[in-house]
Amino acid sequence: MVDCGLPPERPVALTVAGSDPSGGAGLQADLKTFHQFGVYGMAVPAVLTSQNTLGVEAVLPLEPAFVRSQLDCIQRDIPPKAAKTGALGSAGIVREVASWARAADVPLVVDPVISSTSGQPLSSEDGLEALVRSLFPLSLMVTPNLHEAGMIAGMRVQSLVDMRRAAGRIADLGPQWVLVTGGHLKGDAVDVLWSDGQVRLFREARVAGPGHHGTGCAYSAAIAALIALGRTPPEAVCAAKRYVTEAIQRAPELGRGNHPVDHHAPAKWSGRLRSGGPNR
């Protein structure tokens, strides 16, 4: 028999998030990203949306008990090696996800989605509070953008210095690692990764153009996939950021609004840091 070098057991990752019928963000984007990294993807919808590249028209959170039923069902059969969350919609759903995550003891990447790119709320105010109180302490990593980091840290985040301060404040809420993404700052796209008071900077050249729909989803999903593959958090961030940068560069001109990124961009499993490591 010819040995093709395939792993005997494919790593499994789970996403618990909102559904984007246009395929650019949410569960659909997460599953495409998992697949690109060679990870078997599973998905539990928490929120249904009516949206496209122009914006979100309607949001429907599911019943918390039904979300929990989905989680328990797959946990009994195919327990994931890593999981990520996106839009969870309500405090009740957040608490059920937290209860499951505590029992499952799975590495968890939390993308604290508060609103869509167009500004439509995807989480209630008490949902965000529940996320911070219930899910952050259980998470391996949280991945807020500038707006989300500012809301969670209770400060304006408009510079690299602000990003460092916000990451430290968010780390005090319980996550092991905090990644504040700087995609909305001017200049190079610089992200701040914080853990135990240590800061790593991840920098890529900024990509101009409208291909930014679903970047946060693809980024956090890539990190979760790489964690499932056994990479360390810094290695996962490094490889995921390169993947998302190229996905933006290759964005297809689909839709009349913010184009979705190209989830077929090359994905490298190694996630090795550049010579000398990230900037500090």
PDB file of all heavy atoms in Angstrom, residues 212-252:
ATOM      1  N   HIS A 212     -13.355  43.254   2.206  1.00  0.00           N
ATOM      2  CA  HIS A 212     -13.153  43.128   3.646  1.00  0.00           C
ATOM      3  C   HIS A 212     -14.318  42.453   4.353  1.00  0.00           C
ATOM      4  O   HIS A 212     -14.338  42.403   5.571  1.00  0.00           O
ATOM      5  CB  HIS A 212     -12.909  44.512   4.265  1.00  0.00           C
ATOM      6  CG  HIS A 212     -11.683  45.188   3.734  1.00  0.00           C
ATOM      7  ND1 HIS A 212     -11.558  46.543   3.658  1.00  0.00           N
ATOM      8  CD2 HIS A 212     -10.530  44.685   3.233  1.00  0.00           C
ATOM      9  CE1 HIS A 212     -10.385  46.865   3.144  1.00  0.00           C
ATOM     10  NE2 HIS A 212      -9.742  45.752   2.871  1.00  0.00           N
ATOM     11  N   HIS A 213     -15.296  41.957   3.623  1.00  0.00           N
ATOM     12  CA  HIS A 213     -16.441  41.312   4.262  1.00  0.00           C
ATOM     13  C   HIS A 213     -16.038  39.949   4.795  1.00  0.00           C
ATOM     14  O   HIS A 213     -15.582  39.083   4.059  1.00  0.00           O
ATOM     15  CB  HIS A 213     -17.583  41.164   3.247  1.00  0.00           C
ATOM     16  CG  HIS A 213     -18.809  40.510   3.785  1.00  0.00           C
ATOM     17  ND1 HIS A 213     -19.437  40.936   4.935  1.00  0.00           N
ATOM     18  CD2 HIS A 213     -19.542  39.439   3.343  1.00  0.00           C
ATOM     19  CE1 HIS A 213     -20.495  40.191   5.171  1.00  0.00           C
ATOM     20  NE2 HIS A 213     -20.578  39.266   4.229  1.00  0.00           N
ATOM     21  N   GLY A 214     -16.169  39.750   6.097  1.00  0.00           N
ATOM     22  CA  GLY A 214     -15.867  38.457   6.694  1.00  0.00           C
ATOM     23  C   GLY A 214     -14.433  38.253   7.110  1.00  0.00           C
ATOM     24  O   GLY A 214     -14.043  37.122   7.433  1.00  0.00           O
ATOM     25  N   THR A 215     -13.632  39.313   7.153  1.00  0.00           N
ATOM     26  CA  THR A 215     -12.222  39.133   7.528  1.00  0.00           C
ATOM     27  C   THR A 215     -12.073  38.623   8.954  1.00  0.00           C
ATOM     28  O   THR A 215     -11.259  37.735   9.229  1.00  0.00           O
ATOM     29  CB  THR A 215     -11.438  40.451   7.374  1.00  0.00           C
ATOM     30  OG1 THR A 215     -12.137  41.493   8.066  1.00  0.00           O
ATOM     31  CG2 THR A 215     -11.290  40.835   5.921  1.00  0.00           C
ATOM     32  N   GLY A 216     -12.861  39.185   9.884  1.00  0.00           N
ATOM     33  CA  GLY A 216     -12.751  38.759  11.275  1.00  0.00           C
ATOM     34  C   GLY A 216     -13.137  37.307  11.463  1.00  0.00           C
ATOM     35  O   GLY A 216     -12.514  36.576  12.242  1.00  0.00           O
ATOM     36  N   CYS A 217     -14.157  36.874  10.741  1.00  0.00           N
ATOM     37  CA  CYS A 217     -14.589  35.478  10.814  1.00  0.00           C
ATOM     38  C   CYS A 217     -13.495  34.552  10.286  1.00  0.00           C
ATOM     39  O   CYS A 217     -13.159  33.538  10.916  1.00  0.00           O
ATOM     40  CB  CYS A 217     -15.868  35.286  10.018  1.00  0.00           C
ATOM     41  SG  CYS A 217     -17.266  36.286  10.568  1.00  0.00           S
ATOM     42  N   ALA A 218     -12.945  34.889   9.124  1.00  0.00           N
ATOM     43  CA  ALA A 218     -11.899  34.049   8.532  1.00  0.00           C
ATOM     44  C   ALA A 218     -10.663  33.999   9.421  1.00  0.00           C
ATOM     45  O   ALA A 218     -10.030  32.942   9.573  1.00  0.00           O
ATOM     46  CB  ALA A 218     -11.542  34.574   7.144  1.00  0.00           C
ATOM     47  N   TYR A 219     -10.311  35.136  10.016  1.00  0.00           N
ATOM     48  CA  TYR A 219      -9.122  35.209  10.875  1.00  0.00           C
ATOM     49  C   TYR A 219      -9.286  34.302  12.096  1.00  0.00           C
ATOM     50  O   TYR A 219      -8.436  33.447  12.392  1.00  0.00           O
ATOM     51  CB  TYR A 219      -8.930  36.663  11.300  1.00  0.00           C
ATOM     52  CG  TYR A 219      -7.544  37.052  11.775  1.00  0.00           C
ATOM     53  CD1 TYR A 219      -7.236  38.398  11.984  1.00  0.00           C
ATOM     54  CD2 TYR A 219      -6.556  36.115  12.028  1.00  0.00           C
ATOM     55  CE1 TYR A 219      -5.978  38.798  12.416  1.00  0.00           C
ATOM     56  CE2 TYR A 219      -5.299  36.497  12.463  1.00  0.00           C
ATOM     57  CZ  TYR A 219      -5.017  37.841  12.662  1.00  0.00           C
ATOM     58  OH  TYR A 219      -3.773  38.233  13.098  1.00  0.00           O
ATOM     59  N   SER A 220     -10.391  34.463  12.825  1.00  0.00           N
ATOM     60  CA  SER A 220     -10.583  33.657  14.033  1.00  0.00           C
ATOM     61  C   SER A 220     -10.781  32.185  13.690  1.00  0.00           C
ATOM     62  O   SER A 220     -10.326  31.302  14.441  1.00  0.00           O
ATOM     63  CB  SER A 220     -11.764  34.192  14.842  1.00  0.00           C
ATOM     64  OG  SER A 220     -12.948  34.247  14.068  1.00  0.00           O
ATOM     65  N   ALA A 221     -11.425  31.892  12.565  1.00  0.00           N
ATOM     66  CA  ALA A 221     -11.596  30.497  12.149  1.00  0.00           C
ATOM     67  C   ALA A 221     -10.258  29.867  11.792  1.00  0.00           C
ATOM     68  O   ALA A 221      -9.996  28.701  12.118  1.00  0.00           O
ATOM     69  CB  ALA A 221     -12.553  30.410  10.970  1.00  0.00           C
ATOM     70  N   ALA A 222      -9.393  30.624  11.124  1.00  0.00           N
ATOM     71  CA  ALA A 222      -8.064  30.106  10.788  1.00  0.00           C
ATOM     72  C   ALA A 222      -7.257  29.823  12.049  1.00  0.00           C
ATOM     73  O   ALA A 222      -6.554  28.811  12.142  1.00  0.00           O
ATOM     74  CB  ALA A 222      -7.330  31.107   9.898  1.00  0.00           C
ATOM     75  N   ILE A 223      -7.373  30.714  13.037  1.00  0.00           N
ATOM     76  CA  ILE A 223      -6.676  30.480  14.303  1.00  0.00           C
ATOM     77  C   ILE A 223      -7.180  29.206  14.965  1.00  0.00           C
ATOM     78  O   ILE A 223      -6.392  28.363  15.425  1.00  0.00           O
ATOM     79  CB  ILE A 223      -6.851  31.690  15.242  1.00  0.00           C
ATOM     80  CG1 ILE A 223      -6.117  32.913  14.686  1.00  0.00           C
ATOM     81  CG2 ILE A 223      -6.352  31.364  16.653  1.00  0.00           C
ATOM     82  CD1 ILE A 223      -6.437  34.203  15.414  1.00  0.00           C
ATOM     83  N   ALA A 224      -8.507  29.027  15.002  1.00  0.00           N
ATOM     84  CA  ALA A 224      -9.067  27.820  15.608  1.00  0.00           C
ATOM     85  C   ALA A 224      -8.620  26.568  14.859  1.00  0.00           C
ATOM     86  O   ALA A 224      -8.298  25.545  15.483  1.00  0.00           O
ATOM     87  CB  ALA A 224     -10.596  27.911  15.627  1.00  0.00           C
ATOM     88  N   ALA A 225      -8.599  26.639  13.532  1.00  0.00           N
ATOM     89  CA  ALA A 225      -8.152  25.490  12.741  1.00  0.00           C
ATOM     90  C   ALA A 225      -6.708  25.129  13.071  1.00  0.00           C
ATOM     91  O   ALA A 225      -6.365  23.950  13.233  1.00  0.00           O
ATOM     92  CB  ALA A 225      -8.290  25.796  11.251  1.00  0.00           C
ATOM     93  N   LEU A 226      -5.866  26.126  13.179  1.00  0.00           N
ATOM     94  CA  LEU A 226      -4.449  25.881  13.468  1.00  0.00           C
ATOM     95  C   LEU A 226      -4.243  25.373  14.893  1.00  0.00           C
ATOM     96  O   LEU A 226      -3.355  24.553  15.140  1.00  0.00           O
ATOM     97  CB  LEU A 226      -3.655  27.161  13.217  1.00  0.00           C
ATOM     98  CG  LEU A 226      -3.485  27.480  11.723  1.00  0.00           C
ATOM     99  CD1 LEU A 226      -3.325  28.975  11.490  1.00  0.00           C
ATOM    100  CD2 LEU A 226      -2.293  26.718  11.156  1.00  0.00           C
ATOM    101  N   ILE A 227      -5.065  25.834  15.836  1.00  0.00           N
ATOM    102  CA  ILE A 227      -5.015  25.288  17.194  1.00  0.00           C
ATOM    103  C   ILE A 227      -5.403  23.812  17.160  1.00  0.00           C
ATOM    104  O   ILE A 227      -4.783  22.965  17.823  1.00  0.00           O
ATOM    105  CB  ILE A 227      -5.943  26.080  18.139  1.00  0.00           C
ATOM    106  CG1 ILE A 227      -5.438  27.521  18.320  1.00  0.00           C
ATOM    107  CG2 ILE A 227      -6.058  25.380  19.494  1.00  0.00           C
ATOM    108  CD1 ILE A 227      -4.090  27.648  18.980  1.00  0.00           C
ATOM    109  N   ALA A 228      -6.426  23.475  16.376  1.00  0.00           N
ATOM    110  CA  ALA A 228      -6.830  22.072  16.235  1.00  0.00           C
ATOM    111  C   ALA A 228      -5.703  21.228  15.636  1.00  0.00           C
ATOM    112  O   ALA A 228      -5.595  20.034  15.924  1.00  0.00           O
ATOM    113  CB  ALA A 228      -8.080  21.968  15.363  1.00  0.00           C
ATOM    114  N   LEU A 229      -4.872  21.859  14.815  1.00  0.00           N
ATOM    115  CA  LEU A 229      -3.730  21.168  14.204  1.00  0.00           C
ATOM    116  C   LEU A 229      -2.526  21.103  15.127  1.00  0.00           C
ATOM    117  O   LEU A 229      -1.485  20.563  14.749  1.00  0.00           O
ATOM    118  CB  LEU A 229      -3.342  21.879  12.897  1.00  0.00           C
ATOM    119  CG  LEU A 229      -4.315  21.686  11.727  1.00  0.00           C
ATOM    120  CD1 LEU A 229      -4.064  22.730  10.638  1.00  0.00           C
ATOM    121  CD2 LEU A 229      -4.184  20.277  11.151  1.00  0.00           C
ATOM    122  N   GLY A 230      -2.648  21.665  16.327  1.00  0.00           N
ATOM    123  CA  GLY A 230      -1.578  21.549  17.316  1.00  0.00           C
ATOM    124  C   GLY A 230      -0.605  22.704  17.362  1.00  0.00           C
ATOM    125  O   GLY A 230       0.431  22.619  18.020  1.00  0.00           O
ATOM    126  N   ARG A 231      -0.914  23.824  16.665  1.00  0.00           N
ATOM    127  CA  ARG A 231      -0.012  24.970  16.677  1.00  0.00           C
ATOM    128  C   ARG A 231      -0.191  25.783  17.952  1.00  0.00           C
ATOM    129  O   ARG A 231      -1.264  25.785  18.560  1.00  0.00           O
ATOM    130  CB  ARG A 231      -0.245  25.875  15.464  1.00  0.00           C
ATOM    131  CG  ARG A 231      -0.193  25.159  14.134  1.00  0.00           C
ATOM    132  CD  ARG A 231       1.061  24.319  13.975  1.00  0.00           C
ATOM    133  NE  ARG A 231       1.066  23.616  12.703  1.00  0.00           N
ATOM    134  CZ  ARG A 231       1.526  22.387  12.534  1.00  0.00           C
ATOM    135  NH1 ARG A 231       2.007  21.721  13.560  1.00  0.00           N
ATOM    136  NH2 ARG A 231       1.506  21.826  11.340  1.00  0.00           N
ATOM    137  N   THR A 232       0.839  26.481  18.357  1.00  0.00           N
ATOM    138  CA  THR A 232       0.747  27.360  19.515  1.00  0.00           C
ATOM    139  C   THR A 232      -0.041  28.609  19.125  1.00  0.00           C
ATOM    140  O   THR A 232      -0.153  28.930  17.931  1.00  0.00           O
ATOM    141  CB  THR A 232       2.135  27.788  20.004  1.00  0.00           C
ATOM    142  OG1 THR A 232       2.740  28.619  18.992  1.00  0.00           O
ATOM    143  CG2 THR A 232       3.023  26.587  20.288  1.00  0.00           C
ATOM    144  N   PRO A 233      -0.583  29.341  20.100  1.00  0.00           N
ATOM    145  CA  PRO A 233      -1.316  30.564  19.749  1.00  0.00           C
ATOM    146  C   PRO A 233      -0.506  31.557  18.904  1.00  0.00           C
ATOM    147  O   PRO A 233      -1.040  32.056  17.893  1.00  0.00           O
ATOM    148  CB  PRO A 233      -1.718  31.135  21.110  1.00  0.00           C
ATOM    149  CG  PRO A 233      -1.922  29.911  21.949  1.00  0.00           C
ATOM    150  CD  PRO A 233      -0.813  28.989  21.527  1.00  0.00           C
ATOM    151  N   PRO A 234       0.750  31.872  19.227  1.00  0.00           N
ATOM    152  CA  PRO A 234       1.494  32.784  18.342  1.00  0.00           C
ATOM    153  C   PRO A 234       1.690  32.229  16.939  1.00  0.00           C
ATOM    154  O   PRO A 234       1.587  32.974  15.951  1.00  0.00           O
ATOM    155  CB  PRO A 234       2.835  32.969  19.060  1.00  0.00           C
ATOM    156  CG  PRO A 234       2.549  32.672  20.493  1.00  0.00           C
ATOM    157  CD  PRO A 234       1.531  31.569  20.457  1.00  0.00           C
ATOM    158  N   GLU A 235       1.980  30.928  16.820  1.00  0.00           N
ATOM    159  CA  GLU A 235       2.120  30.330  15.494  1.00  0.00           C
ATOM    160  C   GLU A 235       0.803  30.409  14.719  1.00  0.00           C
ATOM    161  O   GLU A 235       0.783  30.694  13.516  1.00  0.00           O
ATOM    162  CB  GLU A 235       2.550  28.869  15.622  1.00  0.00           C
ATOM    163  CG  GLU A 235       3.972  28.678  16.082  1.00  0.00           C
ATOM    164  CD  GLU A 235       4.311  27.225  16.365  1.00  0.00           C
ATOM    165  OE1 GLU A 235       3.380  26.417  16.583  1.00  0.00           O
ATOM    166  OE2 GLU A 235       5.501  26.891  16.386  1.00  0.00           O
ATOM    167  N   ALA A 236      -0.299  30.156  15.432  1.00  0.00           N
ATOM    168  CA  ALA A 236      -1.613  30.192  14.786  1.00  0.00           C
ATOM    169  C   ALA A 236      -1.938  31.590  14.281  1.00  0.00           C
ATOM    170  O   ALA A 236      -2.432  31.761  13.163  1.00  0.00           O
ATOM    171  CB  ALA A 236      -2.683  29.712  15.767  1.00  0.00           C
ATOM    172  N   VAL A 237      -1.654  32.601  15.079  1.00  0.00           N
ATOM    173  CA  VAL A 237      -1.925  33.981  14.671  1.00  0.00           C
ATOM    174  C   VAL A 237      -1.072  34.348  13.465  1.00  0.00           C
ATOM    175  O   VAL A 237      -1.551  34.971  12.509  1.00  0.00           O
ATOM    176  CB  VAL A 237      -1.671  34.960  15.833  1.00  0.00           C
ATOM    177  CG1 VAL A 237      -1.718  36.412  15.351  1.00  0.00           C
ATOM    178  CG2 VAL A 237      -2.703  34.738  16.939  1.00  0.00           C
ATOM    179  N   CYS A 238       0.190  33.963  13.484  1.00  0.00           N
ATOM    180  CA  CYS A 238       1.102  34.289  12.389  1.00  0.00           C
ATOM    181  C   CYS A 238       0.593  33.714  11.064  1.00  0.00           C
ATOM    182  O   CYS A 238       0.476  34.425  10.061  1.00  0.00           O
ATOM    183  CB  CYS A 238       2.492  33.742  12.708  1.00  0.00           C
ATOM    184  SG  CYS A 238       3.748  34.101  11.462  1.00  0.00           S
ATOM    185  N   ALA A 239       0.271  32.419  11.049  1.00  0.00           N
ATOM    186  CA  ALA A 239      -0.190  31.775   9.822  1.00  0.00           C
ATOM    187  C   ALA A 239      -1.569  32.282   9.417  1.00  0.00           C
ATOM    188  O   ALA A 239      -1.850  32.459   8.220  1.00  0.00           O
ATOM    189  CB  ALA A 239      -0.208  30.261  10.005  1.00  0.00           C
ATOM    190  N   ALA A 240      -2.436  32.514  10.392  1.00  0.00           N
ATOM    191  CA  ALA A 240      -3.792  32.986  10.087  1.00  0.00           C
ATOM    192  C   ALA A 240      -3.761  34.386   9.485  1.00  0.00           C
ATOM    193  O   ALA A 240      -4.520  34.693   8.560  1.00  0.00           O
ATOM    194  CB  ALA A 240      -4.642  32.971  11.354  1.00  0.00           C
ATOM    195  N   LYS A 241      -2.886  35.240   9.991  1.00  0.00           N
ATOM    196  CA  LYS A 241      -2.820  36.602   9.469  1.00  0.00           C
ATOM    197  C   LYS A 241      -2.330  36.604   8.020  1.00  0.00           C
ATOM    198  O   LYS A 241      -2.835  37.358   7.183  1.00  0.00           O
ATOM    199  CB  LYS A 241      -1.908  37.475  10.335  1.00  0.00           C
ATOM    200  CG  LYS A 241      -1.902  38.949   9.896  1.00  0.00           C
ATOM    201  CD  LYS A 241      -1.230  39.833  10.911  1.00  0.00           C
ATOM    202  CE  LYS A 241      -1.221  41.291  10.469  1.00  0.00           C
ATOM    203  NZ  LYS A 241      -2.593  41.863  10.382  1.00  0.00           N
ATOM    204  N   ARG A 242      -1.361  35.762   7.705  1.00  0.00           N
ATOM    205  CA  ARG A 242      -0.897  35.675   6.324  1.00  0.00           C
ATOM    206  C   ARG A 242      -2.007  35.172   5.407  1.00  0.00           C
ATOM    207  O   ARG A 242      -2.182  35.658   4.288  1.00  0.00           O
ATOM    208  CB  ARG A 242       0.309  34.739   6.247  1.00  0.00           C
ATOM    209  CG  ARG A 242       1.544  35.268   6.971  1.00  0.00           C
ATOM    210  CD  ARG A 242       2.678  34.283   6.873  1.00  0.00           C
ATOM    211  NE  ARG A 242       3.773  34.657   7.766  1.00  0.00           N
ATOM    212  CZ  ARG A 242       4.837  33.901   7.991  1.00  0.00           C
ATOM    213  NH1 ARG A 242       4.940  32.732   7.381  1.00  0.00           N
ATOM    214  NH2 ARG A 242       5.786  34.292   8.806  1.00  0.00           N
ATOM    215  N   TYR A 243      -2.762  34.200   5.888  1.00  0.00           N
ATOM    216  CA  TYR A 243      -3.871  33.669   5.098  1.00  0.00           C
ATOM    217  C   TYR A 243      -4.912  34.750   4.813  1.00  0.00           C
ATOM    218  O   TYR A 243      -5.353  34.928   3.677  1.00  0.00           O
ATOM    219  CB  TYR A 243      -4.513  32.504   5.853  1.00  0.00           C
ATOM    220  CG  TYR A 243      -5.866  32.083   5.337  1.00  0.00           C
ATOM    221  CD1 TYR A 243      -5.994  31.393   4.136  1.00  0.00           C
ATOM    222  CD2 TYR A 243      -7.020  32.382   6.060  1.00  0.00           C
ATOM    223  CE1 TYR A 243      -7.240  31.011   3.651  1.00  0.00           C
ATOM    224  CE2 TYR A 243      -8.272  32.005   5.590  1.00  0.00           C
ATOM    225  CZ  TYR A 243      -8.374  31.320   4.397  1.00  0.00           C
ATOM    226  OH  TYR A 243      -9.613  30.957   3.924  1.00  0.00           O
ATOM    227  N   VAL A 244      -5.301  35.502   5.843  1.00  0.00           N
ATOM    228  CA  VAL A 244      -6.332  36.524   5.669  1.00  0.00           C
ATOM    229  C   VAL A 244      -5.834  37.652   4.763  1.00  0.00           C
ATOM    230  O   VAL A 244      -6.582  38.180   3.932  1.00  0.00           O
ATOM    231  CB  VAL A 244      -6.780  37.079   7.034  1.00  0.00           C
ATOM    232  CG1 VAL A 244      -7.667  38.305   6.868  1.00  0.00           C
ATOM    233  CG2 VAL A 244      -7.528  36.001   7.809  1.00  0.00           C
ATOM    234  N   THR A 245      -4.566  38.024   4.900  1.00  0.00           N
ATOM    235  CA  THR A 245      -4.016  39.067   4.038  1.00  0.00           C
ATOM    236  C   THR A 245      -4.120  38.676   2.571  1.00  0.00           C
ATOM    237  O   THR A 245      -4.557  39.466   1.721  1.00  0.00           O
ATOM    238  CB  THR A 245      -2.540  39.345   4.397  1.00  0.00           C
ATOM    239  OG1 THR A 245      -2.465  39.802   5.756  1.00  0.00           O
ATOM    240  CG2 THR A 245      -1.954  40.411   3.484  1.00  0.00           C
ATOM    241  N   GLU A 246      -3.755  37.435   2.270  1.00  0.00           N
ATOM    242  CA  GLU A 246      -3.851  36.992   0.878  1.00  0.00           C
ATOM    243  C   GLU A 246      -5.304  36.827   0.450  1.00  0.00           C
ATOM    244  O   GLU A 246      -5.658  37.079  -0.704  1.00  0.00           O
ATOM    245  CB  GLU A 246      -3.089  35.682   0.670  1.00  0.00           C
ATOM    246  CG  GLU A 246      -3.047  35.256  -0.780  1.00  0.00           C
ATOM    247  CD  GLU A 246      -1.763  34.543  -1.165  1.00  0.00           C
ATOM    248  OE1 GLU A 246      -0.874  34.399  -0.307  1.00  0.00           O
ATOM    249  OE2 GLU A 246      -1.662  34.133  -2.331  1.00  0.00           O
ATOM    250  N   ALA A 247      -6.167  36.421   1.385  1.00  0.00           N
ATOM    251  CA  ALA A 247      -7.589  36.285   1.058  1.00  0.00           C
ATOM    252  C   ALA A 247      -8.197  37.631   0.686  1.00  0.00           C
ATOM    253  O   ALA A 247      -9.069  37.715  -0.186  1.00  0.00           O
ATOM    254  CB  ALA A 247      -8.332  35.672   2.239  1.00  0.00           C
ATOM    255  N   ILE A 248      -7.737  38.705   1.336  1.00  0.00           N
ATOM    256  CA  ILE A 248      -8.206  40.051   0.990  1.00  0.00           C
ATOM    257  C   ILE A 248      -7.653  40.455  -0.374  1.00  0.00           C
ATOM    258  O   ILE A 248      -8.371  41.003  -1.219  1.00  0.00           O
ATOM    259  CB  ILE A 248      -7.791  41.071   2.065  1.00  0.00           C
ATOM    260  CG1 ILE A 248      -8.448  40.750   3.404  1.00  0.00           C
ATOM    261  CG2 ILE A 248      -8.165  42.490   1.635  1.00  0.00           C
ATOM    262  CD1 ILE A 248      -7.930  41.597   4.553  1.00  0.00           C
ATOM    263  N   GLN A 249      -6.378  40.170  -0.613  1.00  0.00           N
ATOM    264  CA  GLN A 249      -5.758  40.517  -1.882  1.00  0.00           C
ATOM    265  C   GLN A 249      -6.462  39.846  -3.055  1.00  0.00           C
ATOM    266  O   GLN A 249      -6.601  40.436  -4.129  1.00  0.00           O
ATOM    267  CB  GLN A 249      -4.286  40.110  -1.873  1.00  0.00           C
ATOM    268  CG  GLN A 249      -3.409  40.920  -0.937  1.00  0.00           C
ATOM    269  CD  GLN A 249      -2.002  40.357  -0.831  1.00  0.00           C
ATOM    270  OE1 GLN A 249      -1.762  39.179  -1.108  1.00  0.00           O
ATOM    271  NE2 GLN A 249      -1.061  41.201  -0.426  1.00  0.00           N
ATOM    272  N   ARG A 250      -6.931  38.630  -2.840  1.00  0.00           N
ATOM    273  CA  ARG A 250      -7.549  37.836  -3.913  1.00  0.00           C
ATOM    274  C   ARG A 250      -9.074  37.946  -3.929  1.00  0.00           C
ATOM    275  O   ARG A 250      -9.732  37.188  -4.630  1.00  0.00           O
ATOM    276  CB  ARG A 250      -7.167  36.366  -3.731  1.00  0.00           C
ATOM    277  CG  ARG A 250      -5.674  36.096  -3.877  1.00  0.00           C
ATOM    278  CD  ARG A 250      -5.302  34.752  -3.272  1.00  0.00           C
ATOM    279  NE  ARG A 250      -6.161  33.678  -3.721  1.00  0.00           N
ATOM    280  CZ  ARG A 250      -5.750  32.621  -4.429  1.00  0.00           C
ATOM    281  NH1 ARG A 250      -4.490  32.534  -4.786  1.00  0.00           N
ATOM    282  NH2 ARG A 250      -6.578  31.675  -4.766  1.00  0.00           N
ATOM    283  N   ALA A 251      -9.636  38.883  -3.189  1.00  0.00           N
ATOM    284  CA  ALA A 251     -11.092  38.966  -3.030  1.00  0.00           C
ATOM    285  C   ALA A 251     -11.798  39.030  -4.379  1.00  0.00           C
ATOM    286  O   ALA A 251     -11.490  39.888  -5.212  1.00  0.00           O
ATOM    287  CB  ALA A 251     -11.454  40.184  -2.189  1.00  0.00           C
ATOM    288  N   PRO A 252     -12.757  38.147  -4.611  1.00  0.00           N
ATOM    289  CA  PRO A 252     -13.512  38.187  -5.867  1.00  0.00           C
ATOM    290  C   PRO A 252     -14.495  39.358  -5.860  1.00  0.00           C
ATOM    291  O   PRO A 252     -14.996  39.758  -4.811  1.00  0.00           O
ATOM    292  CB  PRO A 252     -14.258  36.846  -5.861  1.00  0.00           C
ATOM    293  CG  PRO A 252     -14.426  36.518  -4.413  1.00  0.00           C
ATOM    294  CD  PRO A 252     -13.191  37.050  -3.727  1.00  0.00           C
TER     295      PRO A 252
END
